[in-house]
Amino acid sequence: MAPDQIVFWVFAPVSVGSAVAMLFQRNAIHAALFLIVNFFTLAVFYLVLGAPFLFAVQIIVYAGAIMVLFLFVIMLLGVDREESLVERLRGQRPLAIVLGLGLAAEIFVTARASLGLARGPANFDETVNVGGNAQALSHVLFRDYFLPFEVTSILLIVAAIAAMVLAQRRERTTVEAAGEAEV
Amino acid sequence: MLRSVWLVPALPLAGAAINLFAGKRLGRWAGILASGLMVVAFALALGVLAYLLRLPGNERLVVRHLGDWISVGSFRVAADLRVDPLSVTMMLVVTGVGAVIHVYSIGYMDGDPRYGRFFSYMNLFCFFMLTLVLAQNFLLLYLGWEGVGLCSYLLIGFWFERPLAASAAKKAFVVTRIGDTFMLVGIALVFLRLGSLDFSAVLRPSIESVQPSGVFTVIALLLFAGAVGKSAQVPLHTWLPDAMEGPTPVSALIHAATMVTAGVYLVARTHVFFEISGVALTVVLVIGLVTAVYAATCALGQDDLKRVLAYSTISQLGYMFFALGLKAYAAALFLLVTHAFYKALLFLSAGSVMHGLGGETDLKRMGALRRAMPFTAAMFGVGALAIAGVPPLSGYFAKDQILEVANRSGYLIAWLVALAGAFLSALYISRLMFLAFFGQDRTERAAHESPPVMTVPLALLAVGAVFGGVLGLSVTSGRLQGFLAPVLGELTEGAGGLPTAVLSVISVLAALAGIAVGWLVYGSGKVDWVALRVRFAGVHEFLAHGWYVDDVYSTSLVAPGKAGAAFLASAVDQRVIDGCVNGVGQLFQWAASRGRRLQTGLVRNYGLAFLVGVVLIFVYVGVRLS
Amino acid sequence: MKTPISYFVVLSAVLFAIGSVGVLVRKNALVIFMSVELQLNAVNLALVAFSRLHGNLNGQVLAFFSMVVAAAEVVVGLAIIVNVYRRMHTANVDDASLLRW
Amino acid sequence: MLEAAPEMDWLDWILLVARVVVVFFAVLISVMLLIWMERKVAADMQTRMGPMRAGPRGVLITLADGIKLFFKEGITPTLADRPVYLLAPVIAMIPAFLAFAVIPFGTGVTLFGRHVPFQIADLNVGILWVLAMGSLMVYGIVLAGWSSGSNYPLLGSIRSTAQMISYEVGMGLALVAVLMYSGSLQMSQIVASQDRVWNAIPQFPAFAIYLIAGLAETNRPPFDLPEAETELVAGYFTEYSGIKFAMFYLGEYVNLVVVSSIAVTLFLGGWRGPHPSFVAWLWPLLWFIAKVVAVVYLYIWVRLTLPRIRYDRLMSFGWKFLIPIGLLWVLATGAVVVLPDVYGKGALLTGALIVVGAILVASLLWPLIAPRRQSAGETPQ
């Protein structure tokens, strides 16, 4: 068994298991922790697939920033109480599970039929990741995808401003809150 | 000269615009401006005629391109003016008689509160009429056609305060519209079947080979239906007598001299179609003849001065169509021209009488007016003699030629009927003459002669009525006939028939007989015509109501139509249509009241629907791929 | 590398399906949001796998963009959830069902 | 990397494992010495003796403390979220150790006919790995604070999260400037690029930003708000005791070593230094250790000199000074890197770079030096 196969068969069950565990955790923080585990396994898969840059970005962005933000918000809002297990929507759970399984089955069948056991070029690191993954990726990114890159940077600025505007407590609301407190 | 031919219609249009927007400020100058423009237009028309006369006979066709009007794909309509003998003749009639009537109107309409607007409408009418006759294609002709219809409506209803005038305007508009609709279909058919609306492309004898003759029959009949409506022929004639509610100059200009002759012009212009068809020509002949005699009998029963003249006009127009049906187009045009003179003269004289009597039109309240208004009486007499067909006045030549052609055509019965019509014409016009200007004075107020601004035009028209015959002394070799020949073709002499001299004598005798009978009954004093009328009350009523055609229409068409409309309005519209609309609304309300339950506001429901969609799309894609 | 690409794709599909189910059955807005992130990551995995399959870096670039956009999306989404929580004092999406009939 | 795996034989694996073990223990020992050093330096600056009993001049004091903590009773609060509570100290420790994986301590040595580098893994994306591990350090604090089921730890951990996320941005910008200047993400390459002049000189603003951000990342005074005793008792590890507390303590000092090592690697030329030619593998190692000790000494010095900063000032300093200046510096570095390619005036621009750097540092320090005119209007929270 090649190392990458070992990695796959070790981490794939962890990945699926952590995802399923996230699904069943009643506590939001625990769910977030399992999701972090899942993200780590994905990072490992990126490494296996010849994308060390994305491996690092995955950890920095998802594990390091996004999930911290999630934890931060959960703790800030104090919504870490146990979630009620009563489902008020009739048929929601069975339908959701059936549909989820159906989707997975469909993709399974499609991948089996169309991809088979294809593995891609054998010497990926030599032919594609020329001069290292980061360098090769930057060549693609700053040549072929330069305009999307710039647009995305604008999107980030917009998102930052949007977050600031949304998170800001307006003066009016503070006054209202004060009024409510007095009453 | 031909470069400025566009000015002929443009000048009245400018006058119409000026008078419409500034008529009130211009005051009396409105009439002078309108009349002056018409005089200038007439002068220009004379110039065009002079130019045309200098050209060789077979080259007398000039098309003046003003620009493109409509250009959609292969459908192209140009704003072209056609100058040929026929259009020039019509143009001269319109501008000449029009100018005279405009001048007359200065006096007649004096003091009217809408003085400026009257001249605006009149000018606008002249513009549309000139567009009609100068058009080089069917669509432009149709524009003019509808335009004169609009002006006719506006002018008949000029005194819209009177309910009768308003309803008469409405009636004229609606009835002529029946014919117009057929005509529009005919024009569409021309484009569909013949591929063009341009006269030069369509109106040539070789067009015969393009389509079977049945198509031409249909086209000709549809166009003729328009002519029937516009020219007040049976069965669409009922609007014209009622149209006399308009001001008298309007009756003279529109409902005697110009607009009603548009039908004659149309048939003459498109005679190619009629000749190819043959059947259509017979229809024209029959309709014309029936109208001529029928309207003459009706004229006998009228007590209203202007209604007599209206029926007389219908009758005369019937003669014109009769002539057209006999392929004697030039003769029809000759009658058209002379009729324009003497019928305008008669109407204006009648207007003068009305002016003198304060608007009175009832013949029973007239009589012996020759003493109070001798000049008017003399002018009216000239017109009456002309229409009766007494030589050497213009009417004699025109009518005599038509009878001559009829006699030679082989339709002996038609000739006899037409002769009877001629007799009746002389009879009703002499009845009118004697009742109004001779016998006892039955007026209720003192009559007076009209001012010179009205009488001078009368004199001018009288000159035309008397000497108009010079234009076409002979049916084959007259000047007008020769002038029109390049457009309308030479008249083919029919074989047989009576000699020309004999025919002339017969028609003169018929006219004199009519006058004699008229004198005997109404002028001599030997017959008590009032008692006669009481005795034959039924006949009189029958004639007075125009054979009850109107009443038949009312009961057979209008009343069922109204009932149907009422049914549609109360039952169909309120129950079915409104019901459908309300039902649709209620259906959607019901559906929305059920369907809005879908909008639960629960994100997870929406998400579920989302996922269902994703799964189904995958199924679809999978099926497509496999 | 010996692992067939389709293994990664199927794994990605399984993760995506789990994420979908999570979105549908969980009620806490934050957990739903996390499930959405799981879906996004599953797709990223598929993109990187396809990048490997086709022997070019376009898939990785796309996954990179996806991450960047996801970061922006999370920031705004969390801000919205915080605002909703401030107003309604709940993070349960079933309680925030004002936009209904 | 895994592509290369089949070429490794058993000896390579053994050497790799050996390197990991050696580094792990070296770090543990260095932490032990570091704590002793800090206490001695502090004592020296306060003109007192410091620990003297355990071992010669008290050098074993940390060991004694560790043994004591190991035998203390481990208390788990009732309201604590037990699994997370137990997991948090471990999580706090691991990233710090992992960050060492990419740091080159020296040139390497030849053993059994193979070249053995003094570095566990020369990752292609080394700097990003450092950043990633730095961003993971926050988890231990966050989870510890939350899982304790108590208010002070929670507040401490929220503060800490905000502080670390904020300063991570500044630190990232400093690293970006360095990697742009060096033209590589690989640690060994960055060290190699400093063969003429240390990055600390042309990249002085980045160095300054990194040092300040490092203070915040390690939660050391004057940026030790998450565990400010006077406000939050002991901050996020208030409820921790015994071996679990020891792990936090350990993690914190490992962190300090990591930050210092990275500073040395990125800015101070790493293991580079003049050395004699005999025992060639040893001198770079010594140079490295010496530089790390120097940086650590700087941190201890700062800790003992500066008072704790108010929390809102801390945040506004991070967001309003450090990050903008970092951004500007990245821009300037970009210009310096790219412009010579276009104009070929490298030397001139390097000079300009030093000038601009000096100006920026001056502006960075200006708010600290200049008298506070607006302070009257501000009210401490």
Side-chain angles (χ1 to χ4, degrees):
Chain A
M1 226 178 185
D4 63 89
Q5 279 171 303
I6 298 171
V7 169
F8 181 83
W9 289 114
V10 168
F11 280 92
V14 174
S15 185
V16 174
S18 61
V20 171
M22 182 207 85
L23 201 55
F24 286 107
Q25 282 301 324
R26 295 173 66 191
N27 188 309
I29 295 260
H30 291 170
L33 289 177
F34 279 110
L35 193 60
I36 295 166
V37 173
N38 184 268
F39 287 171
F40 270 110
T41 62
L42 289 180
V44 172
F45 291 135
Y46 293 163
L47 206 54
V48 171
L49 287 167
F53 180 77
L54 285 182
F55 156 79
V57 171
Q58 168 84 358
I59 293 177
I60 294 171
V61 172
Y62 271 109
I66 291 180
M67 290 319 292
V68 171
L69 214 52
F70 265 105
L71 288 180
F72 191 76
V73 169
I74 293 168
M75 285 157 66
L76 195 70
L77 298 184
V79 289
D80 46 0
R81 273 168 274 126
E82 306 271 295
E83 195 175 312
S84 160
L85 285 180
V86 181
E87 179 60 85
R88 283 188 298 174
L89 303 180
R90 202 147 36 95
Q92 179 87 2
R93 268 182 204 167
L95 253 178
I97 290 165
V98 167
L99 286 172
L101 288 175
L103 187 63
E106 276 170 350
I107 297 176
F108 175 77
V109 171
T110 314
R112 204 178 126 154
S114 58
L115 295 182
L117 295 179
R119 289 186 175 83
N123 46 355
F124 190 77
D125 276 339
E126 286 78 41
T127 54
V128 180
N129 282 339
V130 181
N133 177 248
Q135 282 81 351
L137 198 64
S138 68
H139 280 162
V140 179
L141 189 60
F142 292 112
R143 286 199 186 127
D144 304 349
Y145 292 90
F146 184 67
L147 186 66
F149 180 82
E150 291 294 322
V151 172
T152 312
S153 64
I154 292 171
L155 174 78
L156 277 179
I157 293 172
V158 171
I161 294 169
M164 278 193 259
V165 171
L166 281 171
Q168 188 184 36
R169 268 188 200 273
R170 284 179 198 83
E171 203 56 44
R172 192 174 53 83
T173 2
T174 328
V175 172
E176 279 173 3
E180 282 166 15
E182 280 175 13
V183 171
Chain B
M1 193 65 225
L2 280 176
R3 279 195 178 281
S4 52
V5 68
W6 62 274
L7 271 173
V8 178
L11 285 173
L13 182 64
I18 293 168
N19 274 334
L20 193 64
F21 294 112
K24 282 211 166 136
R25 298 202 182 167
L26 287 172
R28 281 192 60 88
W29 289 98
I32 293 164
L33 172 79
S35 310
L37 287 170
M38 284 306 294
V39 171
V40 174
F42 179 60
L44 282 169
L46 282 174
V48 172
L49 174 70
Y51 181 88
L52 213 58
L53 284 174
R54 283 212 301 275
L55 294 170
N58 52 358
E59 286 176 19
R60 287 175 185 168
L61 167 62
V62 181
V63 176
R64 179 94 179 88
H65 182 69
L66 296 182
D68 285 332
W69 181 22
I70 299 171
S71 179
V72 180
S74 65
F75 180 67
R76 286 174 194 287
V77 180
D80 286 352
L81 297 185
R82 181 187 180 93
V83 180
D84 69 356
L86 180 58
S87 64
V88 167
T89 307
M90 290 302 291
M91 187 165 73
L92 282 169
V93 170
V94 172
T95 52
V97 178
V100 171
I101 295 173
H102 271 73
V103 173
Y104 175 88
S105 301
I106 296 173
Y108 188 84
M109 296 304 290
D110 192 19
D112 193 278
R114 292 188 293 273
Y115 186 77
R117 189 181 298 179
F118 178 82
F119 283 101
S120 176
Y121 290 165
M122 290 286 273
N123 268 354
L124 189 65
F125 168 80
C126 288
F127 161 71
F128 279 125
M129 191 68 203
L130 289 166
T131 308
L132 195 163
V133 299
L134 286 171
Q136 164 66 355
N137 56 57
F138 277 104
L139 211 62
L140 201 58
L141 180 140
Y142 189 72
L143 177 79
W145 191 272
E146 291 298 334
V148 294
L150 168 74
C151 293
S152 166
Y153 167 77
L154 292 171
L155 285 166
I156 294 169
F158 186 74
W159 289 317
F160 50 80
E161 304 91 339
R162 303 179 188 168
L164 277 176
S167 70
K170 207 161 63 188
K171 186 176 179 183
F173 200 67
V174 171
V175 173
T176 52
R177 183 134 292 270
I178 295 170
D180 293 351
T181 309
F182 285 113
M183 181 178 163
L184 188 58
V185 175
I187 291 172
L189 210 59
V190 167
F191 180 73
L192 279 177
R193 287 304 177 120
L194 307 181
S196 175
L197 290 177
D198 196 87
F199 287 160
S200 300
V202 173
L203 296 177
R204 48 194 167 85
S206 59
I207 199 80
E208 188 178 5
S209 57
V210 175
Q211 293 284 340
S213 68
V215 171
F216 290 100
T217 303
V218 173
I219 291 173
L221 287 177
L222 286 168
L223 293 176
F224 181 59
V228 165
K230 197 60 93 184
S231 294
Q233 296 297 291
V234 173
L236 297 179
H237 65 285
T238 57
W239 65 271
L240 190 58
D242 289 356
M244 295 302 125
E245 289 297 331
T248 305
V250 172
S251 305
L253 178 63
I254 300 179
H255 306 125
T258 53
M259 185 187 86
V260 289
T261 62
V264 178
Y265 168 78
L266 178 68
V267 176
R269 175 62 81 196
T270 60
H271 68 274
V272 177
F273 295 161
F274 288 84
E275 283 189 12
I276 294 169
S277 163
V279 180
L281 216 51
T282 314
V283 172
V284 174
L285 186 146
V286 172
I287 295 272
L289 194 56
V290 168
T291 308
V293 178
Y294 156 79
T297 60
C298 292
L300 271 177
Q302 303 301 317
D303 285 340
D304 186 298
L305 178 60
K306 284 178 72 181
R307 285 178 77 89
V308 174
L309 294 175
Y311 274 111
S312 160
T313 304
I314 298 173
S315 172
Q316 296 288 309
L317 288 166
Y319 270 109
M320 292 178 211
F321 281 105
F322 177 57
L324 292 171
L326 292 168
K327 298 193 193 176
Y329 312 115
L333 262 291
F334 183 43
L335 180 58
L336 190 155
V337 174
T338 54
H339 174 254
F341 284 123
Y342 59 71
K343 189 50 67 65
L345 174 63
L346 285 169
F347 264 114
L348 294 188
S349 302
S352 178
V353 169
M354 287 163 65
H355 192 260
L357 290 175
E360 183 60 64
T361 58
D362 195 342
L363 285 172
K364 297 196 290 295
R365 301 207 188 96
M366 293 182 189
L369 287 174
R370 71 177 192 277
R371 291 191 202 99
M373 28 190 16
F375 187 77
T376 304
M379 291 302 110
F380 196 94
V382 169
L385 288 175
I387 197 171
V390 174
L393 277 72
S394 59
Y396 157 74
F397 293 101
K399 200 177 289 181
D400 184 52
Q401 283 170 20
I402 292 171
L403 290 171
E404 183 186 334
V405 174
N407 182 263
R408 299 238 170 97
S409 68
Y411 297 114
L412 197 63
I413 297 169
W415 175 67
L416 288 172
V417 174
L419 204 59
F423 166 75
L424 286 171
S425 301
L427 180 59
Y428 68 67
I429 202 70
S430 56
R431 168 179 176 267
L432 185 62
M433 185 77 201
F434 290 126
L435 281 179
F437 294 96
F438 293 89
Q440 293 175 322
D441 187 356
R442 298 181 300 278
T443 53
E444 285 164 358
R445 57 162 80 185
H448 63 86
E449 187 58 89
S450 297
V453 73
M454 289 167 69
T455 51
V456 171
L458 289 183
L460 287 174
L461 287 171
V463 171
V466 172
F467 300 107
V470 187
L471 292 171
L473 288 173
S474 157
V475 68
T476 48
S477 56
R479 251 181 226 174
L480 185 66
Q481 285 88 339
F483 180 59
L484 290 170
V487 186
L488 302 177
E490 301 276 349
L491 182 70
T492 45
E493 282 284 334
L498 298 167
T500 311
V502 177
L503 284 171
S504 300
V505 171
I506 292 173
S507 62
V508 171
L509 284 176
L512 290 176
I515 294 171
V517 173
W519 176 80
L520 190 67
V521 177
Y522 298 101
S524 65
K526 291 173 182 167
V527 179
D528 185 0
W529 58 275
V530 183
L532 205 65
R533 158 180 297 205
V534 175
R535 197 174 193 179
F536 297 104
V539 177
H540 175 74
E541 285 295 304
F542 182 68
L543 295 178
H545 284 92
W547 295 22
Y548 293 110
V549 171
D550 250 351
D551 304 75
V552 170
Y553 284 174
S554 295
T555 48
S556 66
L557 296 174
V558 179
K562 274 188 180 172
F567 170 75
L568 289 174
S570 64
V572 177
D573 191 51
Q574 286 183 2
R575 301 259 169 76
V576 181
I577 309 245
D578 283 7
C580 283
V581 174
N582 292 341
V584 168
Q586 278 169 359
L587 175 72
F588 279 101
Q589 266 188 354
W590 177 85
S593 71
R594 294 289 175 281
R596 72 177 187 180
R597 297 274 157 188
L598 280 173
Q599 203 79 12
T600 55
L602 296 169
V603 182
R604 298 189 296 140
N605 275 345
Y606 304 157
L608 194 68
F610 220 87
L611 192 59
V612 170
V614 170
V615 171
L616 289 182
I617 285 172
F618 257 94
V619 169
Y620 172 75
V621 171
V623 169
R624 280 290 299 275
L625 287 181
S626 58
Chain C
M1 203 183 80
K2 294 274 174 58
T3 324
I5 295 299
S6 54
Y7 284 25
F8 289 99
V9 175
V10 170
L11 175 65
S12 147
V14 169
L15 292 180
F16 187 87
I18 294 170
S20 307
V21 175
V23 169
L24 295 182
V25 301
R26 296 306 296 261
K27 278 169 282 190
N28 187 329
L30 285 157
V31 180
I32 289 177
F33 207 9
M34 283 190 245
S35 302
V36 172
E37 292 303 314
L38 180 59
Q39 287 180 305
L40 277 171
N41 272 278
V43 172
N44 281 353
L45 178 61
L47 286 173
V48 176
F50 285 131
S51 168
R52 176 87 196 198
L53 177 72
H54 294 296
N56 61 45
L57 291 174
N58 288 338
Q60 288 189 21
V61 170
L62 205 52
F64 175 71
F65 279 128
S66 153
M67 286 179 187
V68 175
V69 174
E73 170 241 343
V74 163
V75 167
V76 176
L78 284 177
I80 290 171
I81 289 175
V82 168
N83 263 347
V84 169
Y85 187 82
R86 276 182 191 157
R87 188 163 284 274
M88 314 188 76
H89 304 289
T90 178
N92 187 332
V93 290
D94 287 0
D95 294 343
S97 59
L98 289 174
L99 285 174
R100 62 169 180 227
W101 36 271
Chain D
M1 278 182 352
L2 284 158
E3 291 295 314
E7 295 154 24
M8 291 173 75
D9 61 9
W10 59 273
L11 194 57
D12 284 321
W13 283 105
I14 286 175
L15 284 173
L16 184 63
V17 172
R19 268 183 293 169
V20 171
V21 171
V22 167
V23 168
F24 181 71
F25 282 104
V27 168
L28 280 181
I29 291 164
S30 72
V31 164
M32 202 179 88
L33 293 173
L34 174 58
I35 292 170
W36 170 74
M37 171 183 163
E38 180 162 35
R39 294 179 76 162
K40 292 304 270 189
V41 171
D44 193 43
M45 287 186 175
Q46 291 158 356
T47 52
R48 54 185 174 86
M49 300 285 281
M52 290 296 283
R53 308 262 175 199
R57 299 192 66 84
V59 75
L60 296 177
I61 179 69
T62 318
L63 200 59
D65 273 350
I67 292 165
K68 179 199 79 176
L69 285 172
F70 195 79
F71 287 104
K72 270 179 98 172
E73 184 191 1
I75 301 167
T76 307
T78 324
L79 285 174
D81 188 306
R82 214 179 150 76
V84 180
Y85 178 79
L86 296 177
L87 202 62
V90 182
I91 295 176
M93 215 169 55
I94 290 175
F97 279 105
L98 285 177
F100 270 106
V102 293
I103 294 171
F105 306 106
T107 46
V109 68
T110 306
L111 280 176
F112 313 113
R114 286 163 208 268
H115 177 72
V116 180
F118 285 168
Q119 185 179 17
I120 296 174
D122 192 12
L123 265 185
N124 182 270
V125 287
I127 281 197
L128 293 180
W129 173 262
V130 168
L131 259 182
M133 292 307 119
S135 63
L136 289 183
M137 287 175 192
V138 73
Y139 277 110
I141 296 166
V142 166
L143 293 176
W146 173 78
S147 65
S148 299
S150 172
N151 280 340
Y152 288 122
L154 188 63
L155 283 175
S157 70
I158 287 178
R159 273 190 179 188
S160 168
T161 313
Q163 170 185 329
M164 292 181 83
I165 290 177
S166 305
Y167 277 81
E168 218 164 74
V169 180
M171 184 189 244
L173 288 172
L175 296 185
V176 165
V178 171
L179 73 89
M180 280 167 72
Y181 193 77
S182 299
S184 176
L185 286 165
Q186 214 164 345
M187 288 306 218
S188 57
Q189 301 254 340
I190 292 171
V191 173
S193 74
Q194 301 180 69
D195 56 346
R196 278 192 180 168
V197 63
W198 292 355
N199 274 347
I201 293 168
Q203 288 287 323
F204 189 74
F207 186 42
I209 291 169
Y210 180 82
L211 285 182
I212 294 168
L215 276 177
E217 285 288 295
T218 49
N219 290 327
R220 286 182 60 83
F223 292 162
D224 59 342
L225 279 307
E227 48 194 271
E229 294 93 339
T230 46
E231 301 168 35
L232 297 166
V233 191
Y236 56 87
F237 49 72
T238 304
E239 302 290 349
Y240 282 87
S241 58
I243 185 70
K244 295 192 282 292
F245 173 77
M247 283 161 106
F248 274 117
Y249 203 65
L250 181 66
E252 208 167 289
Y253 278 92
V254 173
N255 222 342
L256 182 59
V257 177
V258 167
V259 168
S260 306
S261 307
I262 292 166
V264 167
T265 310
L266 296 184
F267 294 101
L268 299 177
W271 41 261
R272 284 181 180 281
H275 59 80
S277 57
F278 61 93
V279 214
W281 60 271
L282 183 65
W283 302 109
L285 202 59
L286 291 180
W287 267 116
F288 184 81
I289 290 167
K291 287 173 181 173
V292 168
V293 167
V295 174
V296 165
Y297 184 83
L298 180 72
Y299 274 128
I300 295 169
W301 189 3
V302 167
R303 174 191 175 162
L304 293 166
T305 311
L306 295 176
R308 185 179 294 142
I309 294 174
R310 218 171 66 201
Y311 185 68
D312 58 325
R313 290 255 173 83
L314 170 82
M315 294 304 276
S316 74
F317 178 73
W319 284 104
K320 294 181 183 171
F321 285 95
L322 227 45
I323 291 174
I325 288 171
L327 276 172
L328 281 177
W329 183 247
V330 167
L331 202 65
T333 308
V336 168
V337 171
V338 173
L339 287 183
D341 291 349
V342 186
Y343 300 106
K345 294 174 184 172
L348 191 73
L349 278 161
T350 313
L353 183 64
I354 294 165
V355 173
V356 172
I359 294 168
L360 281 174
V361 168
S363 70
L364 188 68
L365 298 176
W366 178 252
L368 302 173
I369 302 163
R372 295 288 176 87
R373 293 202 186 86
Q374 292 176 322
S375 59
E378 293 178 21
T379 47
Q381 282 181 337

